[in-house]
Amino acid sequence: MPSARMQSRKTRAWQSDAEYIADQNANSTWSTFDHGWGDAAARKFVSFGERIDAEGDLFHDDKVADFGGNDGWAAYCFYLHHKIKPLVVDCEPKRLEYAAKHYKLPTLQAFIENMSELPDKSIDWGFTSHTMEHMREPEKALREIARVVKQQCCFVVPLEDLHHARKNHAHAICFTKVGDWAKLLEANGWRVIVKNKAHKYEAHFIAEPA
């Protein structure tokens, strides 16, 4: 059951899955075509891979996933750099079709809150950039990612207030403080390893399943 504080940070509710997907399609940026936004996510994904590789833990047969991976641009950049094709998980079929057709990436159409097609610990490394603020049930989404990820996941999240968040019809929750995102992660199956306020409007976490 969401806490009272979480309820107070809800920005929007949807009446159906179809309405939710329609809003994601209409109001979420396409990573391929918005190069400022898409390239920023891609750099963070590639950098996460570099961090793993520098520690000697990234192998060619590892399974990597981009949760809320949009049209696959960030995952494709990861592939170009690390020669591993990430699985792109998203609920929006048009973006997944683009990822499969243009970047030849494996895809899974699913709500992150319920990725039943993925077995437990079937993904070695996870990445998610500006996805958690879209989750209707963020606690459930975090627990589900923790279920399928074996080693670590990198979370990139916005720091935004209710006024700003409510301007985007694709956003479901918001926090202004790094600590609030950290508490949400730690309460839902994660042990935070790295916590970083990248700038005024964004925070980065690297976490492992608890």
Side-chain angles (χ1 to χ4, degrees), residues 15 107 117 132 151 155 178 189 205:
Q15 299 303 309
T107 64
E117 292 184 39
M132 296 315 302
Q151 302 203 62
F155 296 89
V178 176
F205 299 90

Side-chain angles (χ1 to χ4, degrees), residues 5-49:
R5 179 167 177 77
M6 175 59 70
Q7 291 285 9
S8 73
R9 307 313 291 173
K10 291 279 187 179
T11 64
R12 182 139 192 239
W14 289 264
Q15 299 303 309
S16 67
D17 288 348
E19 182 186 20
Y20 175 77
I21 291 172
D23 265 353
Q24 300 307 309
N25 180 44
N27 296 295
S28 295
T29 303
W30 282 70
S31 296
T32 295
F33 305 117
D34 187 328
H35 285 293
W37 189 263
D39 288 352
R43 285 193 299 271
K44 292 158 196 167
F45 198 1
V46 170
S47 293
F48 179 50

Side-chain angles (χ1 to χ4, degrees), residues 41-77:
R43 285 193 299 271
K44 292 158 196 167
F45 198 1
V46 170
S47 293
F48 179 50
E50 289 174 340
R51 181 182 190 273
I52 301 165
D53 194 32
E55 294 177 353
D57 292 329
L58 187 64
F59 300 97
H60 74 278
D61 57 350
D62 278 354
K63 304 299 182 185
V64 180
D66 187 352
F67 300 105
N70 201 281
D71 56 36
W73 173 244
Y76 181 63
C77 291

Side-chain angles (χ1 to χ4, degrees), residues 66-94:
D66 187 352
F67 300 105
N70 201 281
D71 56 36
W73 173 244
Y76 181 63
C77 291
F78 185 97
Y79 163 68
L80 291 178
H81 195 89
H82 298 294
K83 307 308 177 189
I84 297 170
K85 284 190 174 183
L87 174 68
V88 181
V89 182
D90 206 289
C91 69
E92 208 291 290
K94 292 181 181 179

